[in-house]
Amino acid sequence: MTERPPHGSARPGGRTARTRAAVLAAAYEELDRDSFAALTLDRLARRSGVHVSTIRRRWRTVEGVVVDLLAEHSSTLPTPDTGDFRRDLTQLAQAIADFNNALRNRNVIQGLLVGAAHDSRVEEIVRAAFVRRTEEVTLIARQAVERGEIPKGTEAREVIAALAAPLYYRVLVLRGFIDERLVRTSVETTYQAAIAGVFVPEGEGEGEREG
Amino acid sequence: MTERPPHGSARPGGRTARTRAAVLAAAYEELDRDSFAALTLDRLARRSGVHVSTIRRRWRTVEGVVVDLLAEHSSTLPTPDTGDFRRDLTQLAQAIADFNNALRNRNVIQGLLVGAAHDSRVEEIVRAAFVRRTEEVTLIARQAVERGEIPKGTEAREVIAALAAPLYYRVLVLRGFIDERLVRTSVETTYQAAIAGVFVPEGEGEGEREG
């Protein structure tokens, strides 16, 4: 235990880690019963047994707690790596679907977007969280390029956004659940576009697009 | 004037129509200066010169006014009909981009989604508004099927959702503006998927998919 512990965790099982676990668990439970709008630092304090001033010192706001919760949960989502581009896309789309179809996660996402609309600080946190997660899973597209499944020069972030967009559009705009059919069409749409070279910016990788 | 006037409009130029125009114009101006969160019935009354009780009687809530505003503006968006599927998709994507890149429209959309997250009545109104607008522009896909540009059995609503999703994902999740590149990749992604038969539900139109 001489290495520097990861940010915000002290050592595993230490008091800081226990506090964090308790508060995040409390937030997760509250969001399973009630919307984000109903969540307050006082409610988190009551359920977690952690003093409200401790919560405020560490996370500042309810949005801060929920962003931490989202980071915790999405970091446990593995990046698919099956050796097959279409299968990787399917696993990722299914993971996003499963996540967003759970009521409390829906509440987390909706709450963060509400917060983002009201507060540019929260907006920046939300943006950064999505950018970070997208960056992680671009591995899928980068490996597909390496295996020669999709053209060189493919913009990996565009591939991931194309896959995720229809799923979030269903949840946030059409206000529905993500069904099997939508997972399939999102995967196929992204796959067909990627192999057709849609995500290769103009002026890059022409050789591959012709070939 | 013996016919029943259309809902909520009395006769053009009549007092009801003038009231509606004044309140919607006031909402549009307010949303160009401030976020949806700052909008109140009192502010609308002050700016429009319409009594707050009249506004409340007619629209009930701020969300009601803004949904009406959204309906008004999106009904002025024509459905592209150029005779060419890809060109129609491009015009529609560009119209969605122009709409969402205007600050006040962003505020309208964000405000409605905030309202939807808080209130299931608003959620239903937002859902219905997007479903109605989607239904209108499905003409693009239906005509492309008729012209033989995309396979028979193509689910027109899926085509429109595929086109719109990346644009709203950029605005609502990635919190950015819709640039030219995103318009182009959304069009091409939808186009490639549509001609590949991705939007034909299983068990339908196989003959055409083979051909």
Side-chain angles (χ1 to χ4, degrees):
Chain A
M1 298 303 298
T2 53
E3 281 175 79
R4 201 173 173 280
H7 170 73
S9 69
R11 59 191 168 82
R15 203 205 302 173
T16 311
R18 280 200 307 275
T19 297
R20 175 164 181 262
V23 172
L24 296 191
Y28 202 51
E29 285 163 30
E30 286 286 337
L31 288 168
D32 200 29
R33 313 178 159 233
D34 222 329
S35 76
F36 178 83
L39 197 61
T40 62
L41 291 183
D42 283 329
R43 280 176 75 158
L44 288 177
R46 222 171 306 138
R47 185 178 288 274
S48 66
V50 175
H51 200 280
V52 70
S53 64
T54 305
I55 301 179
R56 187 171 291 119
R57 198 175 327 118
R58 176 150 182 179
W59 288 278
R60 298 195 43 202
T61 62
V62 166
E63 282 87 357
V65 176
V66 173
V67 166
D68 198 2
L69 181 65
L70 188 67
E72 171 92 356
H73 282 253
S74 57
S75 72
T76 64
L77 292 172
T79 298
D81 188 11
T82 65
D84 178 81
F85 181 49
R86 194 187 242 134
R87 211 175 304 140
D88 282 353
L89 290 177
T90 303
Q91 289 193 2
L92 179 58
Q94 192 60 56
I96 296 173
D98 293 343
F99 184 84
N100 281 282
N101 284 342
L103 181 64
R104 52 181 139 194
N105 292 327
R106 262 175 118 79
N107 281 337
V108 169
I109 298 283
Q110 306 247 352
L112 287 174
L113 294 176
V114 168
H118 283 155
D119 182 340
S120 60
R121 213 174 39 86
V122 177
E123 183 170 35
E124 201 30 67
I125 291 172
V126 172
R127 194 198 332 254
F130 273 95
V131 167
R132 196 173 49 239
R133 177 62 186 153
T134 299
E135 216 48 67
E136 282 168 25
V137 291
T138 53
L139 183 73
I140 291 173
R142 287 182 283 119
Q143 291 197 330
V145 170
E146 265 178 43
R147 285 191 305 261
E149 288 191 78
I150 58 178
K152 261 186 198 158
T154 293
E155 189 57 69
R157 269 167 305 188
E158 292 185 357
V159 174
I160 303 304
L163 183 73
L167 309 175
Y168 283 97
Y169 183 76
R170 173 70 61 87
V171 171
L172 298 173
V173 177
L174 302 180
R175 321 295 297 180
F177 285 88
I178 301 169
D179 54 20
E180 225 177 281
R181 165 100 189 128
L182 184 62
V183 168
R184 223 180 66 73
T185 58
S186 300
V187 168
E188 285 305 310
T189 298
T190 306
Y191 181 78
Q192 296 295 341
I195 61 173
V198 170
F199 305 118
V200 180
E202 262 121 81
E204 279 182 53
E206 283 89 351
E208 286 71 23
R209 291 179 82 179
E210 302 304 316
Chain B
M1 295 306 296
T2 52
E3 280 174 80
R4 201 172 173 281
H7 170 73
S9 69
R11 60 192 168 81
R15 202 204 302 172
T16 312
R18 282 200 304 275
T19 298
R20 175 165 181 261
V23 173
L24 296 192
Y28 201 51
E29 285 163 29
E30 286 285 339
L31 289 168
D32 199 29
R33 312 179 158 235
D34 221 329
S35 77
F36 179 85
L39 196 61
T40 61
L41 292 184
D42 284 329
R43 281 177 75 159
L44 288 177
R46 221 172 307 138
R47 184 178 288 274
S48 66
V50 175
H51 200 279
V52 69
S53 64
T54 305
I55 301 178
R56 188 172 291 118
R57 199 176 325 118
R58 176 150 182 180
W59 288 279
R60 296 193 45 201
T61 60
V62 167
E63 282 87 357
V65 176
V66 173
V67 167
D68 199 1
L69 181 65
L70 188 68
E72 171 94 355
H73 282 253
S74 57
S75 71
T76 62
L77 293 172
T79 299
D81 188 10
T82 65
D84 177 81
F85 181 49
R86 196 188 240 134
R87 211 174 305 139
D88 282 352
L89 291 176
T90 303
Q91 289 194 359
L92 180 59
Q94 193 58 57
I96 296 173
D98 292 343
F99 184 84
N100 281 282
N101 283 343
L103 180 64
R104 51 181 139 196
N105 294 326
R106 261 175 120 77
N107 280 336
V108 169
I109 299 283
Q110 305 247 353
L112 287 174
L113 294 176
V114 168
H118 283 155
D119 181 340
S120 60
R121 213 173 40 86
V122 177
E123 182 170 36
E124 201 31 66
I125 291 171
V126 172
R127 192 197 332 254
F130 272 96
V131 167
R132 198 173 47 239
R133 177 63 187 153
T134 299
E135 215 49 66
E136 281 167 26
V137 292
T138 54
L139 182 72
I140 292 173
R142 286 181 283 118
Q143 292 197 330
V145 170
E146 265 177 43
R147 286 192 303 263
E149 287 191 78
I150 57 178
K152 262 186 196 155
T154 294
E155 188 58 68
R157 271 168 303 190
E158 291 184 358
V159 174
I160 303 304
L163 183 72
L167 309 176
Y168 283 97
Y169 182 76
R170 172 70 62 87
V171 172
L172 298 172
V173 176
L174 301 180
R175 321 294 298 182
F177 285 88
I178 301 168
D179 54 21
E180 226 178 280
R181 165 100 189 127
L182 183 62
V183 168
R184 222 181 67 73
T185 57
S186 300
V187 168
E188 285 305 309
T189 299
T190 305
Y191 180 78
Q192 296 295 341
I195 62 174
V198 170
F199 305 119
V200 180
E202 261 122 81
E204 279 181 53
E206 284 90 351
E208 286 71 23
R209 291 178 82 179
E210 302 303 317

